[in-house]
Amino acid sequence: MGSVATGARTAHRTADVAIVGYGPVGATAANFLGMYGFDVVVVERDPSVYPRARAISTDEEVLRVWQQVGLAERLKRDMLAERPIDYVDSRGRSFMSFELRQRRNNHPPQMFIYQPVVDEVLREGVERFPNVEVLLEHEMRDLRQDADGVLLELADVRDGAPSTVRAKYVLACDGGSSHTRNLLGIGFEGRTYEDPWLVIDTKVLEPWPEVDRLRFHCDPDRPAVDCPTPLGHHRWEFPILPGEDREALTRPASVRALLARQGITERHVEVLRQAVYVHHVRFAEHWREGRVFLLGDAAHAMPPWIGQGMASGVRDAGNLCWKLAGVLRGTLAEEVLDSYQVERQPNVRELTQRAVFFGRVITERRRAAAAARNVAFRVAMRSPWIGRFLREARWWPPLFYREGFFADRRAHKAIGGHAPQPFVTTADHREPVRLDDVLGADWAVIGLPGTKAISPDVRQRWAAAGARCLELTHDAQPRPGALREEERWLEDWMRSYGAEVIVLRPDRFVYAAAAGRRPLARPPAALCPYRRAVVV
């Protein structure tokens, strides 16, 4: 079991990686690095999981990240899948409704979560790894780095007892007010929205007709968010309007009055807790300073309107940790770590733009503009093309990295794409399993059926570098080295890009691709496989 220290008196520790912050992003990173077999120290100020539900949803791409550390199925047991999403006017009439469409990762496209439970499961996952030490009730006071590593100065928050950690790299997952980012003097540019929001977590006592729908109440007098969350919870959000007293609005009577505006009484819910949050749009000037990296809210903050704040941080961890593993093992050049921000920042910016747009739709306060909005979206939803675009959420930005750690991007247009994850059968897996469960933490070379795209030279070169070389097949019983798809998603995806063979990185982005007589790129220098230290 991984160790959890709440009062340890070890004065000095050494680690491959130190993680500052133990929310979902820090815990995801700890699972990855623990799985890879590295010595990790996690530093967290709080004594236990934060009790308030901040994030309320996640998606299939994030579940695929958690699948790589063996936790997706356990996490999904406590989530709600694929609930309808409605935007309603001041009378509760829908003017836009949609559900996120499947993006071929073989997990539900949207899942509603109760974050304290997600945090608990991620932390339980870390306990599988004895090489990860978790220091609860400790805070990082200062850091100094040199050419070989970073020295963290810690203090026990209960009695001030000092200690230090010497790590080769540090991951700062310590939130939007990141002390690490401030110590490094990294700017956090952007804006803070004017109206703070009151968030109310409730326990459902008696269901009402719309209890299982996410509804954005686009009322110009007072917008509201009405969201189902699992395990019998339901969440409400209301802006604190100009001139209102924040403290007065959080009192029990005021909370009940806000819920009563939505027809929710003491018969329907028990109020568990309430808190005030402020929305930000901010980006760190840079996400790497020497051997220290910013992840999640420490690197970027976005409004909550499309539920991508936590999700983006989890993607950060999925992007960075396998690269860090390669550098620590000496199998990838240290410069590869510079691709982290290059790859992740454009996707985060795109999602932030979408969140800002939908925030404007929801919070429009001008009555004439709100009335025009309602009419415009009702007309658009009836339009064959625009309606489909909205209903199927085709406005969602694809997960495609246009720059970063890839072979020559000019060689093929599939390079940088995020490959689909079909269910597959193999010689070793006669029952269908998800593709990533077959590939594990390895690189992979995959060719189309019958194209002989993986030539002997290509196979020898990439196999020597530790990559798995596999060919898609239509055979009912795949031979060794072949994959049979249940949905043929990957084959169709490759053909849509005109690729006969692709090379997948451990995070399942296409590193290289080729077709016809064009040669496939060589492996990165000294590449070797990233094998799991523990079977999970």
Side-chain angles (χ1 to χ4, degrees):
M1 298 285 286
S3 59
V4 177
T6 57
R9 285 295 182 266
T10 303
H12 182 73
R13 296 172 174 84
T14 59
D16 295 306
V17 182
I19 298 172
V20 181
Y22 203 32
V25 178
T28 298
N31 273 285
F32 269 111
L33 295 169
M35 181 181 74
Y36 292 141
F38 296 108
D39 292 329
V40 179
V41 173
V42 181
V43 181
E44 169 55 49
R45 177 181 175 85
D46 291 337
S48 58
V49 165
Y50 191 72
R52 291 174 181 161
R54 291 166 289 182
I56 57 173
S57 71
T58 191
D59 62 38
E60 61 190 274
E61 294 163 359
V62 172
L63 284 163
R64 193 169 173 184
V65 173
W66 285 331
Q67 178 192 339
Q68 292 178 327
V69 294
L71 296 176
E73 296 308 309
R74 172 61 188 89
L75 285 161
K76 285 195 293 188
R77 290 194 339 231
D78 295 320
M79 296 180 178
L80 294 176
E82 302 179 62
R83 293 302 195 266
I85 301 171
D86 270 346
Y87 290 73
V88 302
D89 62 18
S90 58
R91 297 184 183 180
R93 300 172 302 183
S94 175
F95 62 82
M96 180 169 59
S97 181
F98 60 82
E99 296 183 30
L100 293 179
R101 66 189 178 105
Q102 167 67 248
R103 296 187 296 281
R104 296 190 172 186
N105 291 284
N106 251 322
H107 293 288
Q110 183 177 50
M111 302 283 280
F112 291 102
I113 68 172
Y114 187 61
Q115 187 180 334
V117 173
V118 170
D119 287 347
E120 288 172 1
V121 173
L122 292 173
R123 292 186 181 193
E124 289 169 4
V126 173
E127 292 175 4
R128 297 171 295 177
F129 308 113
N131 45 308
V132 180
E133 182 179 11
V134 180
L135 303 179
L136 300 177
E137 298 187 277
H138 284 68
E139 66 178 2
M140 190 265 293
R141 295 282 177 85
D142 201 0
L143 63 81
R144 298 189 301 276
Q145 58 179 316
D146 53 38
D148 299 317
V150 188
L151 183 69
L152 302 182
E153 295 183 4
L154 312 181
D156 188 313
V157 298
R158 295 161 301 176
D159 60 13
S163 59
T164 60
V165 175
R166 174 78 177 179
K168 296 172 185 174
Y169 291 95
V170 172
L171 307 186
C173 308
D174 49 348
S177 59
S178 172
H179 183 51
T180 311
R181 187 187 64 237
N182 294 333
L183 285 173
L184 295 171
I186 299 174
F188 200 44
E189 301 302 322
R191 61 169 293 196
T192 296
Y193 283 83
E194 212 171 291
D195 296 337
W197 282 65
L198 175 64
V199 176
I200 305 168
D201 287 322
T202 69
K203 187 79 172 177
V204 175
L205 303 177
E206 180 181 309
W208 54 98
E210 300 85 8
V211 69
D212 66 340
R213 306 179 75 86
L214 169 59
R215 294 197 300 168
F216 295 101
H217 300 262
C218 305
D219 183 347
D221 288 341
R222 188 188 294 274
V225 181
D226 163 11
C227 180
T229 50
L231 305 173
H233 293 265
H234 202 90
R235 176 161 164 169
W236 302 82
E237 301 180 15
F238 301 92
I240 299 175
L241 302 178
E244 290 185 326
D245 185 304
R246 177 186 300 199
E247 184 177 344
L249 206 64
T250 61
R251 291 171 184 157
S254 299
V255 168
R256 281 293 176 186
L258 287 172
L259 293 175
R261 284 173 57 93
Q262 304 297 329
I264 303 301
T265 68
E266 293 182 359
R267 186 179 82 251
H268 296 104
V269 299
E270 172 191 355
V271 175
L272 299 178
R273 58 187 66 86
Q274 59 271 344
V276 174
Y277 292 101
V278 178
H279 300 159
H280 306 277
V281 175
R282 296 189 181 276
F283 296 92
E285 289 177 351
H286 49 276
W287 300 6
R288 178 185 185 184
E289 181 69 33
R291 291 175 170 268
V292 183
F293 296 84
L294 307 180
L295 290 79
D297 287 352
H300 44 77
M302 71 176 74
W305 307 118
I306 60 172
Q308 286 297 301
M310 180 198 73
S312 293
V314 173
R315 291 190 191 94
D316 292 347
N319 180 281
L320 179 60
C321 286
W322 70 267
K323 298 173 183 175
L324 194 58
V327 172
L328 287 167
R329 290 189 176 126
T331 61
L332 287 176
E334 205 268 348
E335 290 78 13
V336 167
L337 300 177
D338 289 331
S339 69
Y340 161 58
Q341 180 177 352
V342 170
E343 293 175 6
R344 288 291 308 130
Q345 188 176 54
N347 178 256
V348 173
R349 285 192 178 275
E350 280 192 285
L351 287 167
T352 302
Q353 290 168 1
R354 306 301 195 276
V356 169
F357 171 79
F358 281 102
R360 289 172 179 160
V361 171
I362 295 161
T363 61
E364 177 58 63
R365 302 292 307 283
R366 298 168 297 174
R367 288 183 172 276
R373 170 204 61 199
N374 300 346
V375 172
F377 275 103
R378 285 192 177 104
V379 171
M381 291 295 288
R382 290 195 292 268
S383 164
W385 187 86
I386 300 176
R388 183 181 180 190
F389 179 82
L390 292 172
R391 282 191 301 274
E392 297 181 1
R394 293 179 179 269
W395 44 266
W396 194 269
L399 196 54
F400 197 106
Y401 295 155
R402 303 193 179 281
E403 294 184 73
F405 177 44
F406 302 105
D408 186 351
R409 286 297 311 271
R410 296 168 297 180
H412 203 282
K413 61 183 178 181
I415 295 173
H418 192 226
Q421 177 179 222
F423 275 99
V424 299
T425 54
T426 72
D428 297 325
H429 298 84
R430 296 306 178 105
E431 295 297 321
V433 296
R434 292 182 178 90
L435 175 66
D436 292 357
D437 292 336
V438 172
L439 301 182
D442 293 332
W443 288 64
V445 181
I446 298 178
L448 288 179
T451 61
K452 301 188 184 301
I454 306 178
S455 67
D457 287 347
V458 166
R459 184 180 299 275
Q460 181 179 11
R461 187 180 302 129
W462 279 93
R468 301 190 63 176
C469 296
L470 301 162
E471 183 179 330
L472 299 178
T473 182
H474 298 155
D475 295 343
Q477 295 184 340
R479 63 190 182 281
L483 295 170
R484 180 185 181 276
E485 296 184 85
E486 297 297 303
E487 301 95 344
R488 295 197 185 180
W489 287 349
L490 186 55
E491 178 180 345
D492 291 345
W493 186 84
M494 290 172 64
R495 292 188 187 280
S496 73
Y497 279 100
E500 293 182 358
V501 60
I502 57 174
V503 179
L504 298 182
R505 308 187 316 187
D507 59 357
R508 305 307 158 226
F509 284 82
V510 178
Y511 173 81
R517 297 183 179 181
R518 290 185 176 272
L520 187 66
R522 292 177 176 272
L527 179 66
C528 82
Y530 304 103
R531 303 207 177 272
R532 298 172 187 253
V534 177
V535 177
V536 295

